[in-house]
Amino acid sequence: MVKNTGWDALLSLGYVHESGKTTLLHRQHHGPLRVQKALYPEGSAVCHSIVLHPPGGIAGGDTLEIRVVLEHGSQALLTSPGAGKWYRSSGSYASQQLRFTVAENAVLEWLPQETILFDGALARMNMEVELAQGAVFMGWEIVCLGRAASGEKFNHGHLNQRVRIKFAGKPIWQEFGNLQGGDALMNSPAGLAGCTVTATLVLAGKAIPADLLNQCREVAVDGMAGEHCGITVLPDVLIVRYLGNKSEAAKRYFTALWTILRPYAAGRQAVIPRIWQT
């Protein structure tokens, strides 16, 4: 049995809304996870927070947990300063647990930059979202399998993903993913079809009007060979998939959709986090 010798990190954030302003009232951390300051690039109603992981990468044995609670009427947007890197493991799994609780009339946006799984990484990624009646969650995950720019493929390792979303106490979306590095599924037309980037965008808590859905479906990816996208609508959930070979293309595609969806989901125009442009 491989001994766990990695970092144990916890970040707990709590947002409240008073007099038209969302404030990061509660901030607690243990280990290498931080939020340095509250940012207000679009006025006081929405608090932007940049989640920092000072080590710069996640190694085998690391456990990261992020808990976010939004009180009634608050709005928060969380992102990351750069790509998340999951390093090759000698035998221990690394894990990331996201726990989001969003109260009535609150809006949480979880928009991290891409996640890169090095060849040989052993990763568990779980996300749980609890939405009260009238709450909204919009988030995405962009996963790069291997370091394509270096010619590295994800031939070894393992990725396990789980997403659970509840709305007004009832499950409205559950998804489980299990991918073994080098598995035939990675090249199968029924799987990843040889693509190295897989991404998902979720909007939960609101039914999507037909005209808004049509606008989203008119958005095209960059048009490079081998790229695929699709949009699925269920009661109170919209799911968008991207499959291709460029994380930049996935992010541009998702950003375009976010720009369309945000006025409806959050009641305001999209304001690109400045950290994305640095």
Side-chain angles (χ1 to χ4, degrees), residues 24 41 43 51 55 57 66-67 73-74 101 105 137-138 147 150 152 158 163-164 186 204 216 226 247 250-251 265 273:
L24 178 54
V51 178
I66 300 174
R67 302 174 186 168
S74 57
T101 304
N105 296 329
F137 170 77
M138 185 154 48
R147 292 171 290 174
S150 303
E152 179 188 271
H158 184 218
V163 177
R164 292 177 175 171
M186 297 184 66
C216 291
S247 62
K251 188 174 178 182

Side-chain angles (χ1 to χ4, degrees), residues 29-191:
H29 72 265
H30 166 77
L33 277 175
R34 302 283 193 280
V35 164
Q36 290 185 325
K37 63 183 295 186
L39 304 171
Y40 295 93
E42 53 182 311
S44 60
V46 183
C47 181
H48 287 223
S49 300
I50 301 174
V51 178
L52 305 175
H53 182 238
I58 301 171
D62 289 355
T63 59
L64 280 65
E65 183 174 355
I66 300 174
R67 302 174 186 168
V68 181
V69 177
L70 270 66
E71 299 296 341
H72 181 279
S74 57
Q75 294 193 26
L77 186 155
L78 278 66
T79 187
S80 57
K85 302 178 181 67
W86 293 62
Y87 297 137
R88 180 183 183 91
S89 174
S90 60
S92 296
Y93 275 80
S95 67
Q96 175 181 273
Q97 176 72 57
L98 307 176
R99 301 183 188 274
F100 300 146
T101 304
V102 189
E104 185 178 357
N105 296 329
V107 179
L108 173 60
E109 296 169 275
W110 170 251
L111 309 176
Q113 303 204 57
E114 66 270 23
T115 294
I116 304 173
L117 292 185
F118 286 35
D119 185 34
L122 299 173
R124 294 190 179 104
M125 302 178 186
N126 298 330
M127 180 173 71
E128 297 181 4
V129 183
E130 292 270 357
L131 299 175
Q133 187 72 42
V136 174
F137 170 77
M138 185 154 48
W140 67 45
E141 188 72 53
I142 301 170
V143 177
C144 306
L145 300 168
R147 292 171 290 174
S150 303
E152 179 188 271
K153 296 183 178 181
F154 192 65
N155 290 327
H156 309 88
H158 184 218
L159 170 62
N160 181 271
Q161 291 179 296
R162 185 183 67 187
V163 177
R164 292 177 175 171
I165 301 176
K166 289 185 177 181
F167 180 57
K170 297 180 179 179
I172 59 171
W173 180 253
Q174 294 192 67
E175 181 173 43
F176 303 90
N178 193 48
L179 181 65
Q180 196 75 37
D183 190 89
L185 187 65
M186 297 184 66
N187 293 307
S188 169

